[in-house]
Amino acid sequence: MTDTVHVLNGPNLNLLGTREPGIYGAATLADVEALCRAEGKALGFDIVFRQTNSEGALVDFIQAARGARGIVLNAAAYTHTSVALRDAVAAVGVPTIEVHLSNVFAREDFRHHSYLSPVARGVICGFGPQSYVLGLRAIAGLPQTP
């Protein structure tokens, strides 16, 4: 196991800062990445930070994290639709924290269901970019396994 944490982002997160700022805030994805890198450094993690709009590419990113210390995953809309992502998280055996910028439970009903939650170690939502920081801290607090 390495001290690498993969921070993976799904569709439309590349539009942060301009996409529905009343819901997602003014921070850009570059701002979120900088925040994750700073927190990762403080925790002693190497951060791999990726974003894609493609479900298949996100599956590939999850599989590439095999052997990592953890995954912080904001699968965005795929959270609510993708059995393929659920299966990838279950298959790699890497502790995964599901994160969301907004409080998905205060939004539309279809956002209340996650295919990822049953295979994630935990879920953090509603804290904006700090959701990622909390996800990294959660991974730091998990016992390391060989």
Side-chain angles (χ1 to χ4, degrees):
M1 180 177 297
T2 69
D3 281 333
T4 300
V5 175
H6 292 244
V7 180
L8 306 178
N9 298 277
N12 299 310
L13 291 169
N14 56 307
L15 300 176
L16 287 178
T18 59
R19 176 187 177 213
E20 299 177 90
I23 295 172
Y24 299 107
T28 66
L29 191 61
D31 296 333
V32 173
E33 180 176 2
L35 188 65
C36 289
R37 291 196 183 282
E39 187 66 21
K41 183 176 181 180
L43 295 169
F45 294 151
D46 292 322
I47 299 294
V48 174
F49 193 94
R50 294 182 171 163
Q51 186 276 330
T52 182
N53 291 318
S54 168
E55 182 179 21
L58 197 51
V59 168
D60 291 341
F61 292 167
I62 292 167
Q63 290 179 3
R66 183 175 255 151
R69 176 83 177 265
I71 299 170
V72 173
L73 176 60
N74 184 345
Y78 291 141
T79 300
H80 319 292
T81 64
S82 181
V83 173
L85 291 180
R86 179 253 177 247
D87 289 350
V89 169
V92 298
V94 174
T96 300
I97 307 297
E98 177 185 339
V99 301
H100 300 280
L101 295 161
S102 68
N103 179 354
V104 293
F105 299 103
R107 298 186 60 198
E108 303 92 341
D109 287 345
F110 72 87
R111 295 186 197 277
H112 299 181
H113 178 265
S114 168
Y115 282 99
L116 302 174
S117 295
V119 294
R121 290 296 297 268
V123 179
I124 300 168
C125 66
F127 296 99
Q130 287 299 312
S131 293
Y132 288 82
V133 170
L134 295 169
L136 290 168
R137 290 179 184 168
I139 289 171
L142 295 174
Q144 292 188 47
T145 56

